[in-house]
Amino acid sequence: MSLQIASISQNCKALRLPSVGAQFASLAEEAAQHKHSHLHYLEALLQSEMEDRERRSIELRMKEAHLPRIKTLEEFDFAQSPHIPAARIRALAEGGYLERAEPVLLVGDPGTGKSHLATGLAIAACRQRKRVRFTTAAALVNQLVEAQREQSLSRMLARWSRVELIVIDEVGYVPLAEVAAELLFQVIAERAEKAAIIVTTNLPFSEWPQVFTNARLCKAVLDRLPDQAHIIETGSESYRFRRTLRKKAKE
């Protein structure tokens, strides 16, 4: 029997079936105890492999997304932020906006949960096996400027275009030089009606000229980004501050 187990384990390794290799013996014993049929045993074994592959695929998607931290929508306390439309957020998490290539704009003051919600939606997209990338506006602009300097901008823009969901966090925290604003606009314009984008910002649209100081460019951004967008206002009262107070109250 030990030789047979060793042979099966070796074959599973060669066929790249790690879950089958890890589970076949214990599932066989369980099937014998409960007098399950061979087909029932095979189904359980293959199901185990499928679930393991799904888990590893999601883990890879989340790693490639470069999420700053793992914050799911399940962890967001909507009861403490009743002005945020929980039903709309949960509907977005189902992924329809990804298929329709619709933007999602999270607008509100610092600490109101914008980044948490954006991260939660990004994780939901990873669970649906979408290619996701999370970045801040400043980091993205720095990458684009560096690529332009190294004459590799076209390749970088092509890589970003293949991502099914881009999350650009913290738009509006730092004014952009005209060249940087034009490069960011290229990324946004390229995705219009082609692929989804999530943007978080602390500025109402009326104040975006502070970021895109070129009036023509600002008008072009506002013409493309809010069009067909899901605009979620997170308000002005700090979710982060209230959460800190609750933690201290429990200590």
Side-chain angles (χ1 to χ4, degrees), residues 39-246:
L39 288 178
H40 189 285
Y41 166 65
L42 180 59
E43 180 186 27
L45 200 56
L46 294 179
Q47 184 64 35
S48 173
E49 183 66 38
M50 289 296 295
E51 291 174 355
D52 186 57
R53 289 192 179 193
E54 179 74 10
R55 177 186 57 77
R56 286 186 281 115
S57 175
I58 292 171
E59 288 177 352
L60 178 61
R61 295 290 187 192
M62 291 176 62
K63 182 179 179 181
E64 291 176 341
H66 294 272
L67 300 171
R69 59 195 65 84
I70 303 301
K71 289 188 175 183
T72 66
L73 293 179
E74 292 82 0
E75 295 171 328
F76 191 89
D77 191 350
F78 287 101
Q80 295 296 323
S81 301
H83 56 285
I84 294 178
R88 285 184 66 190
I89 297 294
R90 294 187 179 111
L92 286 170
E94 294 176 3
Y97 77 100
L98 296 167
E99 306 304 327
R100 297 187 296 269
E102 295 167 346
V104 176
L105 307 180
L106 297 162
V107 185
D109 284 358
T112 55
K114 301 185 302 297
S115 296
H116 187 151
L117 293 171
T119 302
L121 288 172
I123 291 173
C126 289
R127 289 171 177 169
Q128 295 162 31
R129 304 180 75 171
K130 302 295 184 182
R131 293 186 300 275
V132 178
R133 186 66 188 270
F134 190 108
T135 181
T136 64
L140 176 56
V141 162
N142 287 339
Q143 289 182 34
L144 294 170
V145 170
E146 184 65 24
Q148 185 180 57
R149 185 180 299 120
E150 296 177 353
Q151 299 184 341
S152 59
L153 181 61
S154 295
R155 290 197 298 274
M156 173 163 284
L157 289 173
R159 286 199 299 272
W160 281 101
S161 69
R162 290 192 291 270
V163 178
E164 293 166 285
L165 171 63
I166 295 177
V167 180
I168 306 179
D169 199 21
E170 300 179 352
V171 172
Y173 282 77
V174 180
L176 301 175
E178 187 165 341
V179 172
E182 289 177 355
L183 292 173
L184 182 57
F185 171 72
Q186 285 189 54
V187 174
I188 293 172
E190 173 63 28
R191 303 188 71 77
E193 299 183 9
K194 296 179 183 177
I197 185 171
I198 296 176
V199 171
T200 77
T201 179
N202 63 320
L203 296 178
F205 297 127
S206 61
E207 296 181 20
W208 276 42
Q210 298 177 22
V211 182
F212 297 91
T213 54
N214 182 303
R216 173 191 57 80
L217 188 62
C218 186
K219 182 179 179 181
V221 171
L222 291 175
D223 180 60
R224 285 168 174 77
L225 197 54
D227 184 41
Q228 300 182 3
H230 301 269
I231 301 174
I232 309 292
E233 295 185 4
T234 59
S236 58
E237 189 176 352
S238 175
Y239 169 88
R240 188 183 302 132
F241 181 66
R242 293 198 307 274
R243 183 180 60 193
T244 302
L245 290 179
R246 292 197 304 273

